[in-house]
Amino acid sequence: MHKGRLEAFSDGVIAILITIMVLELKVPHEADLAGLLPLVPVFLSYVLSFIFIGIYWTNHHHLLQAIEHVDGRVLWANLHLLFWLSLIPFVTGWIGENQFAAWPVASYGIVLLCAAIAYLILTRALIALHGNDSVLATALGRDIKGKISPVFYLMAIPLAFVNPWLASALYVVVAIIWLIPDRRIERTLAH
Amino acid sequence: MHKGRLEAFSDGVIAILITIMVLELKVPHEADLAGLLPLVPVFLSYVLSFIFIGIYWTNHHHLLQAIEHVDGRVLWANLHLLFWLSLIPFVTGWIGENQFAAWPVASYGIVLLCAAIAYLILTRALIALHGNDSVLATALGRDIKGKISPVFYLMAIPLAFVNPWLASALYVVVAIIWLIPDRRIERTLAH
Amino acid sequence: MHKGRLEAFSDGVIAILITIMVLELKVPHEADLAGLLPLVPVFLSYVLSFIFIGIYWTNHHHLLQAIEHVDGRVLWANLHLLFWLSLIPFVTGWIGENQFAAWPVASYGIVLLCAAIAYLILTRALIALHGNDSVLATALGRDIKGKISPVFYLMAIPLAFVNPWLASALYVVVAIIWLIPDRRIERTLAH
Amino acid sequence: MHKGRLEAFSDGVIAILITIMVLELKVPHEADLAGLLPLVPVFLSYVLSFIFIGIYWTNHHHLLQAIEHVDGRVLWANLHLLFWLSLIPFVTGWIGENQFAAWPVASYGIVLLCAAIAYLILTRALIALHGNDSVLATALGRDIKGKISPVFYLMAIPLAFVNPWLASALYVVVAIIWLIPDRRIERTLAH
């Protein structure tokens, strides 16, 4: 099976997820700055989730760039990833509604952790299909970022009950790690 | 007519349907676990419907994989399928709102039944266009899953008024039947 | 300019429009048939609008099938069409909310009339680009359906204030006229 | 990396943004013209934002037309642009809710200004990748429109606190400037 529709469908779902989060930014009835003030935590959580979904999209883009075909297992591994991503708007809204309270921040970490695991499963399904000596397997290499992120989430989840702002800072650290350019796949494909 | 836009449009509609269901997961005002509790039935119905729409997407993907061109009749058979799928978020929300009550569970079965019939009509329209000895016709073969699913729905609809949880269990059984890998089309195409 | 992105963008917008209308079908709090009763006019207006947007999508599909490239003027003629289509969910919801009252039914006709005119402008922009002896111009021919529809809308708008159900029946007639297979473009392309 | 998915994802996000704004046009409970009256400012702000997002889409379309490949930096420059565009429905809704009051009109200008800067950054990232003597660099030339728009926004933002309607008129002027056909890229590609 060709990868075209898997890409198109994933693009559609991710585009919708990244956009419907903005609906949580409810238009205030007041016409002044005071009306915007209660929206600050909603806005902050929106920015963080926009970046995380953006990271997943660019990674997904790179991943599928390195392969040519897919099978039924890959389709479902991909749907499984999209399922966890689809919960990000919900936990984002929960964080915004409760100004970064403990449970919302912890559940945010749980959803990110599940998404990270789902992404790992998708990677494995693709390598199983293309072989350990494929461009993809070489490009991913030891995949340090992919392995370090779940550790951060596992630390942040209990930390949220001690200090939710520190836990949120850990999520920001993960986002920054991913935003630092990582040319593994680009470089391997260029060879 | 080329099949490209039929795929793109269906991907768009299905991507939106699978995503807007998550909007029924209303962000709770409470910041603790108690706030999540009333969302449990909403979440369960979301997971079930996510899987059903995922099944339709992968089946649709396989189906269109096996053909090359479409005509006006196929376009409308496809829109007819999308219409019934578009009602899934509504019945899903109704189930979630009323904790798997009789009428919502029965109406869920009716919508699934109509979608299954619409899928059958789409299959027939495609075979009519490509011929009984086409790759598609061979790949579908006797289509046992496609024929057994409506029977389950027909049993579940009256059962919902006796025991809605048993009826819901029947829907889960259908989902599991479809999730068991089915390589008909993949295998036939590989030949 | 290639037509690819114009198709993709239009598919996206039309897919969203056809889907967000279903959000007007608000999940009832009651768990029985009585809860569905107030939704009947909303559902009827949804079905009608689903068919109209479906007609626009299949016509748009046929239209772009017959051409190869686009220019800036075509992009804006297309955006102009999408603008009027984007108002269909609003007038559909208004009809459903007020059980086919006079003003909503009349405004539905106004939006359909503007969309029909916008479609005509798009057709003209495409013919201007491809020439009067192009496949497209030949395929469209005298375009009887395209010319008769606005006449029906112009009749339905004042009629809505006399009898909104009769006016709505006129919309149904237009939908049926378009649903009758029309193989002009398919036939011309086959030559 | 090929540009295909960047286009598809951007099309998806922009299609959703241009469409969800219409959800701010809340269906009135009244069935007469009086019910539509409070929607007039909402409608006006919708038309203005529809045109602005339409301008961004056609410009984005032209921009990507002139290039062939993208890199990680371009992906993020594009996501950055989409982020600011995603705030347009919010400020549009705020303007509509408060009948073109000072703060909403000023914040509209701020979002447009940030989007214009983000577009400029995207242009620079693309030129950095393709070279100063590429088709793209030649096609963009001195880019007068791109440089004049931020000046108008910078004027409109403080002006909103003196006279929000005059500030809004400045936005309309910018929209008209962009709507005047601009064949730079089309012409250069034609060579």
Side-chain angles (χ1 to χ4, degrees):
Chain A
M1 284 194 289
H2 196 67
K3 66 177 176 175
R5 274 192 80 180
L6 180 68
E7 290 184 334
F9 183 70
S10 307
D11 281 350
V13 171
I14 297 174
I16 297 158
L17 291 176
I18 216 168
T19 323
I20 61 174
M21 286 191 301
V22 94
L23 296 177
E24 278 299 314
L25 274 176
K26 303 261 166 59
V27 171
H29 294 297
E30 300 88 351
D32 53 9
L33 264 195
L36 289 186
L37 218 70
L39 291 177
V40 170
V42 184
F43 182 74
L44 288 179
S45 64
Y46 172 56
V47 173
L48 186 62
S49 293
F50 190 98
I51 292 173
F52 266 112
I53 295 187
I55 289 168
Y56 269 102
W57 180 72
T58 55
N59 285 348
H60 194 272
H61 183 287
H62 278 85
L63 195 65
L64 283 252
Q65 192 83 12
I67 60 126
E68 271 315 309
H69 52 286
V70 296
D71 61 1
R73 187 148 52 131
V74 169
L75 293 190
W76 278 104
N78 192 60
L79 277 165
H80 178 234
L81 170 63
L82 294 179
F83 175 78
W84 291 110
L85 293 183
S86 82
L87 294 181
I88 288 184
F90 172 75
V91 286
T92 304
W94 205 24
I95 282 186
E97 174 83 15
N98 293 286
Q99 292 95 32
F100 289 79
W103 274 103
V105 171
S107 66
Y108 193 83
I110 294 170
V111 168
L112 285 182
L113 179 64
C114 292
I117 294 169
Y119 189 81
L120 212 75
I121 295 174
L122 174 62
T123 314
R124 293 292 158 258
L126 283 167
I127 290 181
L129 187 67
H130 291 79
N132 274 314
D133 50 353
S134 62
V135 175
L136 176 67
T138 320
L140 281 173
R142 289 185 311 159
D143 192 17
I144 293 172
K145 286 184 183 183
K147 277 170 190 152
I148 223 173
S149 307
V151 177
F152 274 83
Y153 301 143
L154 278 173
M155 279 159 47
I157 293 164
L159 187 59
F161 297 97
V162 185
N163 187 328
W165 290 98
L166 264 181
S168 306
L170 276 187
Y171 303 145
V172 174
V173 169
V174 177
I176 291 169
I177 290 175
W178 281 103
L179 282 173
I180 296 168
D182 171 20
R183 303 260 160 95
R184 273 175 307 163
I185 292 181
E186 284 181 49
R187 221 183 296 121
T188 316
L189 279 175
H191 280 294
Chain B
M1 284 194 288
H2 196 67
K3 66 177 175 176
R5 275 192 80 179
L6 180 68
E7 290 184 334
F9 182 71
S10 307
D11 281 350
V13 172
I14 297 174
I16 297 159
L17 291 176
I18 215 168
T19 322
I20 61 174
M21 286 191 302
V22 94
L23 295 177
E24 278 299 314
L25 274 176
K26 303 261 166 60
V27 170
H29 294 298
E30 300 88 353
D32 53 9
L33 265 195
L36 288 187
L37 218 71
L39 290 177
V40 171
V42 184
F43 183 74
L44 288 180
S45 63
Y46 172 56
V47 173
L48 185 62
S49 293
F50 189 97
I51 293 172
F52 265 113
I53 295 187
I55 290 168
Y56 270 102
W57 180 72
T58 56
N59 286 347
H60 194 272
H61 183 288
H62 279 85
L63 195 64
L64 282 252
Q65 193 82 14
I67 59 125
E68 271 316 308
H69 51 286
V70 296
D71 61 0
R73 188 149 52 132
V74 169
L75 293 191
W76 278 103
N78 191 59
L79 277 166
H80 179 235
L81 171 62
L82 294 178
F83 175 78
W84 290 110
L85 293 183
S86 83
L87 295 180
I88 288 184
F90 172 75
V91 286
T92 304
W94 205 25
I95 282 185
E97 173 84 14
N98 294 287
Q99 291 96 32
F100 290 78
W103 274 102
V105 171
S107 66
Y108 193 83
I110 293 169
V111 168
L112 285 182
L113 179 64
C114 293
I117 293 168
Y119 189 79
L120 211 75
I121 294 173
L122 175 61
T123 314
R124 293 291 157 257
L126 283 167
I127 290 180
L129 188 65
H130 291 79
N132 273 314
D133 50 353
S134 61
V135 176
L136 177 67
T138 319
L140 282 173
R142 289 186 311 157
D143 192 17
I144 294 172
K145 286 184 182 184
K147 278 170 190 152
I148 222 173
S149 307
V151 177
F152 273 83
Y153 301 143
L154 279 172
M155 279 160 47
I157 293 164
L159 187 58
F161 297 97
V162 185
N163 187 329
W165 289 100
L166 264 181
S168 305
L170 276 187
Y171 302 145
V172 174
V173 169
V174 176
I176 291 170
I177 290 176
W178 281 102
L179 282 173
I180 296 167
D182 170 21
R183 303 261 160 93
R184 273 176 304 164
I185 292 181
E186 284 181 50
R187 221 182 298 122
T188 316
L189 278 175
H191 280 295
Chain C
M1 285 194 287
H2 196 67
K3 67 177 174 174
R5 276 192 80 179
L6 179 70
E7 290 183 336
F9 183 70
S10 307
D11 280 351
V13 171
I14 297 174
I16 297 159
L17 291 176
I18 216 168
T19 324
I20 60 174
M21 285 191 302
V22 93
L23 295 177
E24 278 298 316
L25 273 175
K26 303 261 165 59
V27 170
H29 295 297
E30 300 88 352
D32 53 9
L33 264 195
L36 289 187
L37 217 70
L39 291 177
V40 170
V42 184
F43 183 74
L44 289 180
S45 64
Y46 173 56
V47 173
L48 185 62
S49 293
F50 190 97
I51 292 172
F52 265 113
I53 295 187
I55 289 168
Y56 270 102
W57 180 71
T58 56
N59 285 349
H60 194 272
H61 183 288
H62 278 84
L63 195 65
L64 283 252
Q65 194 81 13
I67 59 125
E68 271 317 307
H69 51 285
V70 295
D71 61 0
R73 188 149 51 131
V74 169
L75 293 190
W76 278 104
N78 192 59
L79 277 166
H80 178 235
L81 170 63
L82 294 178
F83 175 78
W84 291 109
L85 293 182
S86 83
L87 295 181
I88 288 183
F90 172 75
V91 286
T92 303
W94 204 24
I95 281 185
E97 174 83 14
N98 292 287
Q99 292 94 31
F100 290 78
W103 273 102
V105 170
S107 65
Y108 193 83
I110 294 170
V111 168
L112 285 182
L113 178 64
C114 292
I117 293 169
Y119 189 80
L120 210 75
I121 295 173
L122 175 61
T123 314
R124 293 293 158 256
L126 283 167
I127 290 181
L129 188 65
H130 290 79
N132 274 314
D133 50 353
S134 61
V135 174
L136 176 66
T138 319
L140 282 173
R142 288 186 313 159
D143 192 15
I144 293 172
K145 286 185 184 183
K147 278 171 190 152
I148 222 172
S149 308
V151 176
F152 274 83
Y153 301 144
L154 278 173
M155 279 160 48
I157 294 165
L159 187 59
F161 296 97
V162 185
N163 187 329
W165 290 100
L166 263 182
S168 306
L170 275 187
Y171 302 145
V172 174
V173 169
V174 176
I176 290 169
I177 290 176
W178 280 102
L179 282 173
I180 296 166
D182 171 20
R183 302 262 159 95
R184 272 176 305 163
I185 292 182
E186 284 181 50
R187 220 181 298 122
T188 315
L189 278 175
H191 280 295
Chain D
M1 286 194 286
H2 197 67
K3 65 177 176 175
R5 276 192 79 179
L6 179 69
E7 290 183 335
F9 182 70
S10 307
D11 281 350
V13 171
I14 297 174
I16 298 159
L17 291 177
I18 215 168
T19 324
I20 61 174
M21 286 191 302
V22 93
L23 296 177
E24 278 299 315
L25 274 176
K26 304 263 164 59
V27 171
H29 295 297
E30 301 87 352
D32 52 8
L33 264 196
L36 289 186
L37 217 70
L39 291 176
V40 171
V42 185
F43 183 73
L44 288 180
S45 64
Y46 172 56
V47 173
L48 185 62
S49 292
F50 191 97
I51 292 173
F52 266 112
I53 296 186
I55 289 168
Y56 270 102
W57 180 71
T58 55
N59 285 348
H60 194 272
H61 183 287
H62 279 84
L63 196 64
L64 283 252
Q65 194 81 12
I67 60 126
E68 271 316 309
H69 51 285
V70 296
D71 61 0
R73 188 150 50 131
V74 168
L75 293 190
W76 279 103
N78 192 59
L79 278 165
H80 178 235
L81 170 63
L82 294 177
F83 175 77
W84 290 110
L85 293 183
S86 82
L87 295 181
I88 288 183
F90 172 75
V91 286
T92 304
W94 204 24
I95 281 185
E97 174 82 15
N98 293 286
Q99 292 95 29
F100 289 78
W103 273 103
V105 171
S107 66
Y108 193 83
I110 293 170
V111 169
L112 285 182
L113 178 64
C114 292
I117 294 169
Y119 189 79
L120 210 75
I121 295 173
L122 175 61
T123 313
R124 293 294 157 255
L126 283 167
I127 290 181
L129 189 66
H130 290 79
N132 273 313
D133 50 352
S134 60
V135 175
L136 176 67
T138 319
L140 281 174
R142 289 185 312 158
D143 192 16
I144 293 171
K145 286 185 184 183
K147 277 171 190 151
I148 222 172
S149 308
V151 177
F152 274 82
Y153 301 143
L154 279 173
M155 279 159 49
I157 294 165
L159 186 59
F161 297 97
V162 185
N163 188 327
W165 290 100
L166 263 181
S168 306
L170 275 187
Y171 302 145
V172 174
V173 169
V174 176
I176 290 169
I177 290 176
W178 281 102
L179 283 173
I180 296 167
D182 171 20
R183 303 260 160 95
R184 273 176 306 162
I185 293 180
E186 284 180 50
R187 221 182 298 123
T188 315
L189 279 175
H191 280 297

